[in-house]
Amino acid sequence: MLEMLASAQFWMDVFKIIMIDLLLSGDNAVVIALACRNLPLDQRRKGILFGVGGAIGLRVILTFFAVSMLALPYLKLFGAVLLLWIGIKLILPEDEHSTDSVQADTKLFGAIKTIIVADFVMSLDNVLGVAGAAKGNIVLLVFGLLISIPLIAWSSQLVLKLIDRFPFIIYAGGALLGYVAGEMLVSEALFSALVEANRYFHWLIPMLCALLVLLVGKWLVMRKVEIVRAIDLVDEKVPVKSESKSGMER
Amino acid sequence: MKILIPVDGSANAQRAVEYVIKNAAMLKETPDVVLLNVQWSVATGNVKLFINQQTIEDYYREQGIEALRTARAALEAAELPYRYHISIGTPAEAIVQYADEQAVDQIVMGRQGQSGLRTLLLGSVVNKVLHLANCPVLLVK
C-alpha cells in the first residue's frame, strides 16, 4: 500500500480518475436540484438527501459491477469501444434536442425515482471511465467513488466555468478517455499474445486511441460549426410608477 | 443613452448600478437602463431527458429574478425607468450578444473582487467582455 503511494504510476492514475470524474459527472447535481424543485419545501430537503444517497449507492454498485464485467473475455473490447465513443461525445458540442420528457413530479417518491433513474443513465459513462482507469485497483476505485460524491451533490457550474476558462480541457478529457480505452484494449485477454510479442503496444495503442478520439472529435466539430447563441428567457420593461411620483409632485 | 448593466446579484454588480443611478442626473436626458442577468446553461443534454422544459425554465427564471432583485430595488427607489432581461448561456458571450442586439451605447460593469486563485482558475467575465465588446465598457471600482 505504502510503496504504491510512492510510485509515479499511482499518481498518474489518480489524476486520470479526478479528470474523468470531473468531466463526466456534472449533470447529476442539476437533475437532483431540478427534480426536487416542485416538491413542498419540507419535503425538498428529504428529496435531495434521499436522491443524493440513492445516487451514490447506485454508483458504488454500478462501479463494482462494471469492474467484474470487465474481467470477462471480450467485454474489455466492448468497454474500450464504448469509452472511445464517450471520449468523442465529450468533445462534440451538445445537440439541442428538445424532448417531451417526464412530467415534473410533485410527490417525494416520484422525484426520488426521477433522480435514481437519471443517475443510472448518466453514471454509466463515468463508471466505465473510472473502472477503466483504475484497472482493477481497489484503492483507486474507492478513491474515484469518493471524489465523485461531492461532484454529485454540488453544482455543476464549476465544470462549466472551468471549461469556459480553459476550453482545451474538453480535448484533454477526450484524449484521456481514448488513452484509457487503449489501455483497456491492450489488457484484453484476446490480444495478450500479440501484445506480449510487441511490447511497445503497451504505450503505442493507448496513444493511437487518444489521437483517434481527438481527430474524430475535431473532425465532427468542424463539420457542424455553429456558435451556440445565448437564449433569451425574460424581457420586461418597468416604467416609473407614475402615481406615486405625480402624487408627490402635486 | 442606452446603458447595459450586467448583474449577478453580487456587491460588485450593485456598485455599477449605483454608479449609473448617481450619474443619471448629469445626463441631459434620462438614460435608458437595461439590466441583464445571464444564467449558465447547466441543464443541457442528458438533463433534458429527465426534467421537462417548463421546470428548467422556471429554475432559470427564479435564479435570474433573484440575481436581479437588489439592482431592481435600487432603480425603483431612484425612480429610474429600466428594462430587465434574463439570458441563458455563457456570461461574457451572452452579455456582448445582448449589447449588440440592443445596440447599447455603453456597458457598465462592476470590477470583480475575486481573489487570485479564483481568477486564475475560473477567469473573469469582465476580462472577456472587455475583449469581445463592440461598444465602450465602463468598469466601476
Side-chain angles (χ1 to χ4, degrees):
Chain A
M1 169 97 191
L2 273 179
E3 58 260 41
M4 195 163 77
L5 290 180
S7 83
Q9 181 61 43
F10 176 80
W11 292 108
M12 273 298 290
D13 290 341
V14 166
F15 174 74
K16 274 190 221 163
I17 286 175
I18 291 178
M19 277 287 283
I20 290 172
D21 266 335
L22 200 62
L23 289 172
L24 295 180
S25 57
D27 292 346
N28 303 76
V30 185
V31 168
I32 292 171
L34 291 181
C36 295
R37 247 187 68 86
N38 294 345
L39 294 179
L41 212 61
D42 54 320
Q43 287 186 358
R44 205 176 288 177
R45 281 180 65 88
K46 213 183 267 177
I48 292 175
L49 209 67
F50 283 143
V52 172
I56 292 167
L58 190 70
R59 188 165 287 191
V60 172
I61 296 168
L62 273 178
T63 303
F64 283 93
F65 182 68
V67 170
S68 49
M69 288 289 278
L70 286 176
L72 300 173
Y74 295 104
L75 276 179
K76 270 192 181 161
L77 189 63
F78 180 67
V81 174
L82 214 57
L83 266 183
L84 284 175
W85 182 71
I86 293 170
I88 292 169
K89 211 166 143 277
L90 181 70
I91 295 177
L92 287 185
E94 301 255 10
D95 275 326
E96 280 299 322
H97 46 73
S98 56
T99 41
D100 267 337
S101 47
V102 220
Q103 202 57 40
D105 266 296
T106 46
K107 300 224 169 56
L108 182 62
F109 180 72
I112 294 174
K113 201 176 70 189
T114 303
I115 295 171
I116 303 284
V117 173
D119 203 64
F120 183 82
V121 175
M122 300 196 303
S123 287
L124 286 176
D125 49 1
N126 172 285
V127 160
L128 189 62
V130 170
K135 285 174 274 190
N137 185 329
I138 295 291
V139 178
L140 283 171
L141 272 178
V142 173
F143 176 78
L145 282 170
L146 287 179
I147 288 285
S148 72
I149 289 171
L151 290 170
I152 292 176
W154 282 346
S155 151
S156 62
Q157 274 191 14
L158 172 73
V159 182
L160 284 177
K161 286 179 182 168
L162 275 175
I163 291 170
D164 183 44
R165 177 85 168 93
F166 306 108
F168 68 88
I169 284 185
I170 285 292
Y171 289 95
L176 177 65
L177 285 167
Y179 192 88
V180 171
E183 285 181 328
M184 208 182 266
L185 267 185
V186 291
S187 63
E188 164 66 56
L190 274 180
F191 308 134
S192 60
L194 191 66
V195 173
E196 281 318 300
N198 310 280
R199 292 212 57 92
Y200 58 89
F201 274 18
H202 275 290
W203 55 265
L204 183 68
I205 299 292
M207 285 294 187
L208 283 178
C209 285
L211 204 64
L212 178 75
V213 169
L214 280 182
L215 288 179
V216 174
K218 187 78 198 164
W219 179 64
L220 288 175
V221 168
M222 269 157 48
R223 268 177 41 139
K224 48 180 230 179
V225 193
E226 49 181 284
I227 299 156
V228 186
R229 305 274 295 170
I231 303 160
D232 300 320
L233 183 69
V234 179
D235 200 56
E236 201 186 322
K237 206 172 176 120
V238 183
V240 183
K241 292 194 188 76
S242 51
E243 312 97 68
S244 61
K245 201 182 170 189
S246 56
M248 278 195 300
E249 276 166 3
R250 265 177 235 150
Chain B
M1 182 161 164
K2 205 168 190 179
I3 301 176
L4 177 68
I5 318 175
V7 293
D8 58 358
S10 69
N12 297 308
Q14 194 60 19
R15 275 205 306 277
V17 175
E18 271 149 22
Y19 176 86
V20 170
I21 292 173
K22 205 177 74 193
N23 287 275
M26 296 197 325
L27 296 169
K28 210 169 175 185
E29 48 196 284
T30 321
D32 212 349
V33 178
V34 185
L35 294 177
L36 171 67
N37 175 254
V38 184
Q39 291 292 316
W40 281 96
S41 65
V42 285
T44 49
N46 276 331
V47 177
K48 286 191 173 154
L49 291 175
F50 301 103
I51 308 288
N52 66 356
Q53 195 62 31
Q54 189 59 44
T55 311
I56 294 174
E57 280 180 10
D58 284 349
Y59 169 77
Y60 285 138
R61 188 172 296 124
E62 190 184 283
Q63 299 278 315
I65 294 289
E66 174 57 28
L68 287 163
R69 197 171 47 83
T70 49
R72 292 182 59 188
L75 285 167
E76 271 159 35
E79 296 192 332
L80 273 181
Y82 65 96
R83 282 180 37 198
Y84 67 90
H85 186 89
I86 302 171
S87 297
I88 306 162
T90 315
E93 281 85 349
I95 290 169
V96 174
Q97 179 192 320
Y98 191 67
D100 288 346
E101 280 170 10
Q102 297 294 314
V104 302
D105 299 301
Q106 191 177 44
I107 300 176
V108 181
M109 301 180 81
R111 204 197 63 148
Q112 279 173 327
Q114 283 179 343
S115 62
L117 187 66
R118 276 184 67 96
T119 311
L120 188 71
L121 286 179
L122 302 177
S124 89
V125 177
V126 169
N127 273 346
K128 229 164 150 186
V129 170
L130 283 177
H131 283 285
L132 297 173
N134 300 309
C135 65
V137 180
L138 179 66
L139 289 190
V140 178
K141 277 210 171 190

